[in-house]
């Protein structure tokens, strides 16, 4: 007997992340990588963090920084988040906020809290593959979240019943989504709330990229729209999931959840069972840096990333052959390419790495049903403008030469 023989059935649903594997390419100097959806490390506020950690470890504060803490999270950070959420239209209290070890931990908790085997999770087609990885262990059925169509809530509910469960939540990143870069407009967010009311399900709003808007008018968070309808967060079904990973530091693994208090109380119990609490010193450092420079630092990120986005869109327009289309994001880190039907992004990647040394993420990994082979994700966040120009030129040459597998 091997231990693999006694793994739980859910283990069969766990899959390696294609992006995690592709990130290894960043260490290869000859590869032009547009694969990792990660912030540019040269833009980290490193000096501010060095000062924050130094202050946290002074004799008067080091006991708190190095000790166990409450599961809900560092209270001054939660107070800062109350003010921050208020600026984007989400009035709440510290009792509505839980600090998590990155927003990825929150996604795992949502799967654990809401999904019984056979229940339905509504997700985008494509959607963030980390969400699929988090939800997979809880054995859901996936159905396609289609906000802009005439598909009726009753159809979702009937499909969920037919597979032995019910619709538990709709998951989406409404602003500059990973992987497409697309944004759900105001009307679409209102329609989603209407659908969720009819289906009596939760809405999980993944706002990892919300602060990174480069142009266009900001759209209120879904949670803000629902509070405007109902008057209080306590009457809402939307759960907001935020993160400092794309703005201040991904390595410190600090995210947060904003939700009605009954939901927060249940999430706290899950956190107590999982890791007791997120790193005390990391929360203290994040709070110090956020309090001192969050707005100015995010403004700098927007300026840099906007130039890179513009460079990628311009380069794509010059170098892509006919039949290739792409999104035009108003923010975030990603552009989504769609190849002509019959082409395969994974085969293109293999050929690209071998010949032109350009890396990207094949699109199939972002689809719950394994479709979307003729698509790929490009990230511009860590690429200089000359690198973007050269990379898109190389990729365009490869596509024009027809070196694709059908």
């Amino acid at each position: 007997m091997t231990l693999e023989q006694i793994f739980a059935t859910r283990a069969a649903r766990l899959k390696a992340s294609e992006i995690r594997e592709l990130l290894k390419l960043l260490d290869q100097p000859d590869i032009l990588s547009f694969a990792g959806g990660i912030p540019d490390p040269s833009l980290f506020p490193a000096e501010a963090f060095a000062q924050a950690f130094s202050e946290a470890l002074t004799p008067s504060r080091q006991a708190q920084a190095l000790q166990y803490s409450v599961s809900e999270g560092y209270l001054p950070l939660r107070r800062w988040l109350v003010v921050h959420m208020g600026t984007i239209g989400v009035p709440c209290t510290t009792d509505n906020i839980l600090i998590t070890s990155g927003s990825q931990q929150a996604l795992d908790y949502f799967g654990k809290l809401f999904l019984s085997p056979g229940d339905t999770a509504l997700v985008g087609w494509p959607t963030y593959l980390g969400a699929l990885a988090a939800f997979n262990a809880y054995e859901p059925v996936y159905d396609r979240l289609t906000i802009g169509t005439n598909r009726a809530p009753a159809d979702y509910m009937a499909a969920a019943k037919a597979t032995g469960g019910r619709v538990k939540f709709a998951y989406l990143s409404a602003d500059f989504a990973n992987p497409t870069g697309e944004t759900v407009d105001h009307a679409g967010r209102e329609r989603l709330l209407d659908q969720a009311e009819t289906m009596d399900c939760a809405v999980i709003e993944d706002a990892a990229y919300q602060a990174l808007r480069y142009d266009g008018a900001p759209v209120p968070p879904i949670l803000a729209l629902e509070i405007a309808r109902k008057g209080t967060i306590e009457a809402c079904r939307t759960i907001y999931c935020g993160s400092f990973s794309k703005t201040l530091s991904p390595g410190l693994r600090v995210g947060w959840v904003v939700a009605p208090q009954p939901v927060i109380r249940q999430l706290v119990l899950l956190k107590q069972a999982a890791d007791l609490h997120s790193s005390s010193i990391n929360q203290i450092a994040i709070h110090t840096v956020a309090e001192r420079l969050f707005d100015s630092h995010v403004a700098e990120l927007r300026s840099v990333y906007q130039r890179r986005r513009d460079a990628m869109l311009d380069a794509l327009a010059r170098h892509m052959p006919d039949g290739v289309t792409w999104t035009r994001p108003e923010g975030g880190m990603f552009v989504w390419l769609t190849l002509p039907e019959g082409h395969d992004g994974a085969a293109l990647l293999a050929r690209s790495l071998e010949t032109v040394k350009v890396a990207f993420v094949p699109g199939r990994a972002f689809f719950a049903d394994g479709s979307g082979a003729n698509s790929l994700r490009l990230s511009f966040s860590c690429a200089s403008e000359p690198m973007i120009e050269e990379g898109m030129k190389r990729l365009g040459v490869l596509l024009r030469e027809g070196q694709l597998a059908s």
Side-chain angles (χ1 to χ4, degrees):
M1 188 198 79
T2 63
L3 289 180
E4 288 87 346
Q5 292 175 303
I6 59 171
F7 284 170
T9 55
R10 71 180 67 92
R13 298 176 64 106
L14 303 179
K15 300 177 182 179
S17 167
E18 292 193 27
I19 294 179
R20 294 288 104 191
E21 295 301 311
L22 285 168
L23 285 177
K24 298 173 183 177
L25 297 171
L26 297 179
D27 295 328
Q28 300 180 23
D30 62 335
I31 297 290
L32 300 182
S33 180
F34 305 94
I38 59 177
D40 185 340
S42 72
L43 300 175
F44 292 157
E47 291 185 7
F49 275 115
Q51 180 65 29
F53 277 103
S54 178
E55 292 173 10
L57 291 172
T58 56
S60 63
R61 300 185 66 190
Q62 62 187 14
Q64 182 184 33
L66 300 177
Q67 185 57 279
Y68 287 116
S69 185
V70 296
S71 300
E72 290 83 351
Y74 181 53
L75 184 57
L77 177 57
R78 288 157 57 214
R79 287 172 174 160
W80 184 91
L81 284 167
V82 166
V83 176
H84 172 72
M85 294 304 299
T87 67
I88 59 173
V90 179
C92 62
T93 73
T94 55
D95 291 333
N96 298 116
I97 296 175
L98 169 70
I99 304 299
T100 57
S101 297
S103 59
Q104 187 66 31
Q105 183 180 61
L107 297 180
D108 177 67
Y109 289 172
F110 298 149
K112 187 178 293 186
L113 182 62
F114 288 107
L115 295 172
S116 299
D119 279 336
T120 292
L122 304 181
V123 299
W125 238 252
T127 194
Y128 171 47
L129 64 84
L132 297 177
F135 303 151
N136 276 343
Y138 305 104
E139 304 176 70
V141 174
Y142 293 109
D143 200 350
R144 183 172 186 166
L145 178 61
T146 51
I147 299 172
T149 71
N150 293 324
R151 186 175 179 190
D155 185 53
Y156 287 116
M157 297 166 70
K161 184 177 181 180
T163 56
R166 57 163 294 179
V167 177
K168 287 298 185 65
F169 59 72
Y171 164 82
L172 76 163
S173 184
D175 295 282
F176 331 122
N178 181 359
T180 65
E182 294 177 324
T183 295
V184 179
D185 64 15
H186 190 131
R189 298 176 195 215
E190 296 282 11
R191 283 197 299 272
L192 177 60
L193 286 173
D194 292 340
Q195 291 175 323
E197 286 290 333
T198 301
M199 294 184 288
D200 195 21
C201 71
V203 175
I204 297 174
E205 179 177 15
D206 187 341
Y209 304 92
Q210 186 175 55
L212 300 179
R213 173 173 285 279
Y214 314 135
D215 48 41
V219 186
I222 298 170
L223 180 54
L225 296 176
E226 189 174 15
I227 292 173
R229 288 183 175 198
K230 297 180 176 177
T232 172
I233 191 173
E234 299 304 333
C236 291
R237 63 180 64 250
T238 303
I239 301 171
Y240 181 101
C241 186
S243 174
F244 290 105
S245 291
K246 306 305 186 291
T247 53
L248 295 183
S249 166
L252 296 188
R253 309 308 301 132
V254 180
W256 71 94
V257 173
V258 184
Q261 290 185 49
V263 175
I264 294 296
R265 287 195 289 267
Q266 288 299 121
L267 294 173
V268 167
L269 296 179
L270 294 177
K271 189 161 184 64
Q272 289 172 349
D275 65 355
L276 300 182
H277 64 88
S278 296
S279 164
S280 299
I281 193 170
N282 287 1
Q283 292 184 70
I284 290 170
I286 283 282
H287 170 251
T288 300
V289 173
E291 192 171 50
R292 291 174 180 173
L293 54 73
F294 183 83
D295 290 340
S296 61
H297 182 68
V298 169
E300 179 187 1
L301 295 179
R302 289 172 179 153
S303 176
V304 174
Y305 291 154
Q306 179 174 2
R307 291 196 299 271
R308 294 175 182 177
R309 180 211 56 181
D310 292 346
M312 179 165 281
L313 293 177
D314 290 345
L316 288 168
R318 286 194 301 275
H319 298 301
M320 288 300 108
D322 292 342
V324 177
T325 60
W326 54 90
T327 57
R328 291 167 174 79
E330 295 180 333
M333 296 181 173
F334 307 108
V335 175
W336 181 254
L337 263 66
T338 303
L339 308 174
E341 285 293 337
H343 294 311
D344 189 295
L348 177 64
L349 176 63
R351 184 65 175 168
S352 179
L353 293 175
E354 179 184 352
T355 59
V356 299
K357 305 296 184 182
V358 174
F360 51 83
V361 184
R364 190 193 300 271
F366 300 96
F367 290 82
D369 64 351
S371 61
N374 65 317
S375 57
L376 59 96
R377 192 195 75 179
L378 297 169
S379 175
F380 51 80
S381 55
C382 283
S384 67
E385 292 163 54
M387 175 182 164
I388 290 170
E389 172 65 21
E390 179 63 22
M392 296 308 98
K393 180 180 178 180
R394 293 184 192 182
L395 191 58
V397 168
L398 185 62
L399 287 165
R400 289 180 188 280
E401 290 176 349
Q403 295 172 329
L404 291 164
S406 296

PDB file of all heavy atoms in Angstrom, residues 360-378:
ATOM      1  N   PHE A 360       4.151  33.053 -22.130  1.00  0.00           N
ATOM      2  CA  PHE A 360       2.823  33.555 -21.793  1.00  0.00           C
ATOM      3  C   PHE A 360       2.065  32.398 -21.168  1.00  0.00           C
ATOM      4  O   PHE A 360       2.594  31.293 -21.017  1.00  0.00           O
ATOM      5  CB  PHE A 360       2.100  34.088 -23.040  1.00  0.00           C
ATOM      6  CG  PHE A 360       2.094  33.117 -24.191  1.00  0.00           C
ATOM      7  CD1 PHE A 360       1.154  32.102 -24.264  1.00  0.00           C
ATOM      8  CD2 PHE A 360       3.062  33.202 -25.186  1.00  0.00           C
ATOM      9  CE1 PHE A 360       1.158  31.186 -25.312  1.00  0.00           C
ATOM     10  CE2 PHE A 360       3.082  32.302 -26.238  1.00  0.00           C
ATOM     11  CZ  PHE A 360       2.131  31.289 -26.303  1.00  0.00           C
ATOM     12  N   VAL A 361       0.811  32.607 -20.799  1.00  0.00           N
ATOM     13  CA  VAL A 361       0.012  31.532 -20.192  1.00  0.00           C
ATOM     14  C   VAL A 361      -1.052  31.077 -21.188  1.00  0.00           C
ATOM     15  O   VAL A 361      -1.888  31.884 -21.598  1.00  0.00           O
ATOM     16  CB  VAL A 361      -0.662  31.983 -18.888  1.00  0.00           C
ATOM     17  CG1 VAL A 361      -1.410  30.800 -18.253  1.00  0.00           C
ATOM     18  CG2 VAL A 361       0.363  32.528 -17.911  1.00  0.00           C
ATOM     19  N   PRO A 362      -1.045  29.817 -21.583  1.00  0.00           N
ATOM     20  CA  PRO A 362      -2.123  29.315 -22.450  1.00  0.00           C
ATOM     21  C   PRO A 362      -3.473  29.451 -21.771  1.00  0.00           C
ATOM     22  O   PRO A 362      -3.596  29.304 -20.546  1.00  0.00           O
ATOM     23  CB  PRO A 362      -1.745  27.850 -22.664  1.00  0.00           C
ATOM     24  CG  PRO A 362      -0.287  27.779 -22.369  1.00  0.00           C
ATOM     25  CD  PRO A 362      -0.038  28.798 -21.310  1.00  0.00           C
ATOM     26  N   GLY A 363      -4.511  29.710 -22.551  1.00  0.00           N
ATOM     27  CA  GLY A 363      -5.802  30.059 -21.979  1.00  0.00           C
ATOM     28  C   GLY A 363      -6.595  28.930 -21.371  1.00  0.00           C
ATOM     29  O   GLY A 363      -7.455  29.164 -20.523  1.00  0.00           O
ATOM     30  N   ARG A 364      -6.329  27.689 -21.777  1.00  0.00           N
ATOM     31  CA  ARG A 364      -7.174  26.581 -21.335  1.00  0.00           C
ATOM     32  C   ARG A 364      -7.268  26.477 -19.816  1.00  0.00           C
ATOM     33  O   ARG A 364      -8.316  26.112 -19.268  1.00  0.00           O
ATOM     34  CB  ARG A 364      -6.633  25.267 -21.912  1.00  0.00           C
ATOM     35  CG  ARG A 364      -7.568  24.081 -21.725  1.00  0.00           C
ATOM     36  CD  ARG A 364      -6.842  22.761 -22.032  1.00  0.00           C
ATOM     37  NE  ARG A 364      -6.346  22.716 -23.396  1.00  0.00           N
ATOM     38  CZ  ARG A 364      -7.036  22.272 -24.436  1.00  0.00           C
ATOM     39  NH1 ARG A 364      -8.282  21.861 -24.261  1.00  0.00           N
ATOM     40  NH2 ARG A 364      -6.506  22.238 -25.640  1.00  0.00           N
ATOM     41  N   ALA A 365      -6.189  26.819 -19.103  1.00  0.00           N
ATOM     42  CA  ALA A 365      -6.168  26.667 -17.646  1.00  0.00           C
ATOM     43  C   ALA A 365      -7.206  27.528 -16.953  1.00  0.00           C
ATOM     44  O   ALA A 365      -7.580  27.252 -15.806  1.00  0.00           O
ATOM     45  CB  ALA A 365      -4.771  27.003 -17.105  1.00  0.00           C
ATOM     46  N   PHE A 366      -7.708  28.558 -17.617  1.00  0.00           N
ATOM     47  CA  PHE A 366      -8.646  29.487 -16.998  1.00  0.00           C
ATOM     48  C   PHE A 366     -10.106  29.102 -17.206  1.00  0.00           C
ATOM     49  O   PHE A 366     -10.998  29.825 -16.764  1.00  0.00           O
ATOM     50  CB  PHE A 366      -8.418  30.893 -17.553  1.00  0.00           C
ATOM     51  CG  PHE A 366      -7.033  31.432 -17.292  1.00  0.00           C
ATOM     52  CD1 PHE A 366      -6.037  31.322 -18.245  1.00  0.00           C
ATOM     53  CD2 PHE A 366      -6.728  32.041 -16.088  1.00  0.00           C
ATOM     54  CE1 PHE A 366      -4.769  31.821 -18.017  1.00  0.00           C
ATOM     55  CE2 PHE A 366      -5.455  32.537 -15.838  1.00  0.00           C
ATOM     56  CZ  PHE A 366      -4.476  32.427 -16.808  1.00  0.00           C
ATOM     57  N   PHE A 367     -10.345  27.992 -17.866  1.00  0.00           N
ATOM     58  CA  PHE A 367     -11.713  27.554 -18.154  1.00  0.00           C
ATOM     59  C   PHE A 367     -12.052  26.322 -17.318  1.00  0.00           C
ATOM     60  O   PHE A 367     -11.316  25.334 -17.336  1.00  0.00           O
ATOM     61  CB  PHE A 367     -11.870  27.221 -19.639  1.00  0.00           C
ATOM     62  CG  PHE A 367     -11.834  28.421 -20.541  1.00  0.00           C
ATOM     63  CD1 PHE A 367     -10.631  28.972 -20.941  1.00  0.00           C
ATOM     64  CD2 PHE A 367     -13.013  29.009 -20.978  1.00  0.00           C
ATOM     65  CE1 PHE A 367     -10.587  30.080 -21.773  1.00  0.00           C
ATOM     66  CE2 PHE A 367     -12.980  30.123 -21.813  1.00  0.00           C
ATOM     67  CZ  PHE A 367     -11.770  30.654 -22.206  1.00  0.00           C
ATOM     68  N   ALA A 368     -13.161  26.384 -16.609  1.00  0.00           N
ATOM     69  CA  ALA A 368     -13.543  25.278 -15.734  1.00  0.00           C
ATOM     70  C   ALA A 368     -13.776  23.985 -16.492  1.00  0.00           C
ATOM     71  O   ALA A 368     -13.614  22.898 -15.937  1.00  0.00           O
ATOM     72  CB  ALA A 368     -14.797  25.654 -14.945  1.00  0.00           C
ATOM     73  N   ASP A 369     -14.145  24.089 -17.778  1.00  0.00           N
ATOM     74  CA  ASP A 369     -14.410  22.887 -18.559  1.00  0.00           C
ATOM     75  C   ASP A 369     -13.255  22.511 -19.487  1.00  0.00           C
ATOM     76  O   ASP A 369     -13.394  21.615 -20.314  1.00  0.00           O
ATOM     77  CB  ASP A 369     -15.685  23.056 -19.383  1.00  0.00           C
ATOM     78  CG  ASP A 369     -15.579  24.163 -20.422  1.00  0.00           C
ATOM     79  OD1 ASP A 369     -14.583  24.925 -20.394  1.00  0.00           O
ATOM     80  OD2 ASP A 369     -16.495  24.277 -21.266  1.00  0.00           O
ATOM     81  N   GLY A 370     -12.120  23.193 -19.360  1.00  0.00           N
ATOM     82  CA  GLY A 370     -10.962  22.862 -20.185  1.00  0.00           C
ATOM     83  C   GLY A 370     -11.054  23.336 -21.613  1.00  0.00           C
ATOM     84  O   GLY A 370     -10.257  22.928 -22.458  1.00  0.00           O
ATOM     85  N   SER A 371     -12.001  24.220 -21.907  1.00  0.00           N
ATOM     86  CA  SER A 371     -12.106  24.759 -23.261  1.00  0.00           C
ATOM     87  C   SER A 371     -11.138  25.939 -23.397  1.00  0.00           C
ATOM     88  O   SER A 371     -10.233  26.121 -22.597  1.00  0.00           O
ATOM     89  CB  SER A 371     -13.551  25.176 -23.551  1.00  0.00           C
ATOM     90  OG  SER A 371     -13.979  26.179 -22.644  1.00  0.00           O
ATOM     91  N   GLY A 372     -11.351  26.769 -24.414  1.00  0.00           N
ATOM     92  CA  GLY A 372     -10.535  27.970 -24.566  1.00  0.00           C
ATOM     93  C   GLY A 372      -9.122  27.715 -25.032  1.00  0.00           C
ATOM     94  O   GLY A 372      -8.226  28.520 -24.755  1.00  0.00           O
ATOM     95  N   ALA A 373      -8.890  26.620 -25.754  1.00  0.00           N
ATOM     96  CA  ALA A 373      -7.528  26.303 -26.194  1.00  0.00           C
ATOM     97  C   ALA A 373      -6.947  27.392 -27.087  1.00  0.00           C
ATOM     98  O   ALA A 373      -5.732  27.604 -27.095  1.00  0.00           O
ATOM     99  CB  ALA A 373      -7.519  24.960 -26.923  1.00  0.00           C
ATOM    100  N   ASN A 374      -7.791  28.088 -27.832  1.00  0.00           N
ATOM    101  CA  ASN A 374      -7.302  29.087 -28.781  1.00  0.00           C
ATOM    102  C   ASN A 374      -7.181  30.470 -28.139  1.00  0.00           C
ATOM    103  O   ASN A 374      -7.525  31.491 -28.743  1.00  0.00           O
ATOM    104  CB  ASN A 374      -8.217  29.164 -30.005  1.00  0.00           C
ATOM    105  CG  ASN A 374      -9.609  29.659 -29.654  1.00  0.00           C
ATOM    106  OD1 ASN A 374     -10.176  29.242 -28.644  1.00  0.00           O
ATOM    107  ND2 ASN A 374     -10.164  30.536 -30.470  1.00  0.00           N
ATOM    108  N   SER A 375      -6.691  30.516 -26.910  1.00  0.00           N
ATOM    109  CA  SER A 375      -6.552  31.791 -26.211  1.00  0.00           C
ATOM    110  C   SER A 375      -5.288  31.771 -25.371  1.00  0.00           C
ATOM    111  O   SER A 375      -4.703  30.720 -25.099  1.00  0.00           O
ATOM    112  CB  SER A 375      -7.779  32.054 -25.331  1.00  0.00           C
ATOM    113  OG  SER A 375      -7.978  30.991 -24.410  1.00  0.00           O
ATOM    114  N   LEU A 376      -4.861  32.963 -24.952  1.00  0.00           N
ATOM    115  CA  LEU A 376      -3.677  33.072 -24.101  1.00  0.00           C
ATOM    116  C   LEU A 376      -3.728  34.385 -23.336  1.00  0.00           C
ATOM    117  O   LEU A 376      -4.387  35.335 -23.737  1.00  0.00           O
ATOM    118  CB  LEU A 376      -2.395  32.953 -24.922  1.00  0.00           C
ATOM    119  CG  LEU A 376      -2.177  33.968 -26.051  1.00  0.00           C
ATOM    120  CD1 LEU A 376      -1.299  35.122 -25.575  1.00  0.00           C
ATOM    121  CD2 LEU A 376      -1.523  33.281 -27.243  1.00  0.00           C
ATOM    122  N   ARG A 377      -3.006  34.410 -22.206  1.00  0.00           N
ATOM    123  CA  ARG A 377      -2.938  35.604 -21.368  1.00  0.00           C
ATOM    124  C   ARG A 377      -1.544  36.204 -21.419  1.00  0.00           C
ATOM    125  O   ARG A 377      -0.547  35.496 -21.256  1.00  0.00           O
ATOM    126  CB  ARG A 377      -3.289  35.266 -19.921  1.00  0.00           C
ATOM    127  CG  ARG A 377      -3.517  36.488 -19.037  1.00  0.00           C
ATOM    128  CD  ARG A 377      -3.511  36.128 -17.561  1.00  0.00           C
ATOM    129  NE  ARG A 377      -2.165  35.875 -17.068  1.00  0.00           N
ATOM    130  CZ  ARG A 377      -1.874  35.559 -15.801  1.00  0.00           C
ATOM    131  NH1 ARG A 377      -2.844  35.439 -14.917  1.00  0.00           N
ATOM    132  NH2 ARG A 377      -0.625  35.339 -15.433  1.00  0.00           N
ATOM    133  N   LEU A 378      -1.491  37.514 -21.615  1.00  0.00           N
ATOM    134  CA  LEU A 378      -0.246  38.264 -21.565  1.00  0.00           C
ATOM    135  C   LEU A 378      -0.296  39.225 -20.382  1.00  0.00           C
ATOM    136  O   LEU A 378      -1.309  39.894 -20.165  1.00  0.00           O
ATOM    137  CB  LEU A 378      -0.051  39.072 -22.844  1.00  0.00           C
ATOM    138  CG  LEU A 378       0.100  38.307 -24.155  1.00  0.00           C
ATOM    139  CD1 LEU A 378       0.014  39.272 -25.332  1.00  0.00           C
ATOM    140  CD2 LEU A 378       1.430  37.543 -24.182  1.00  0.00           C
TER     141      LEU A 378
END
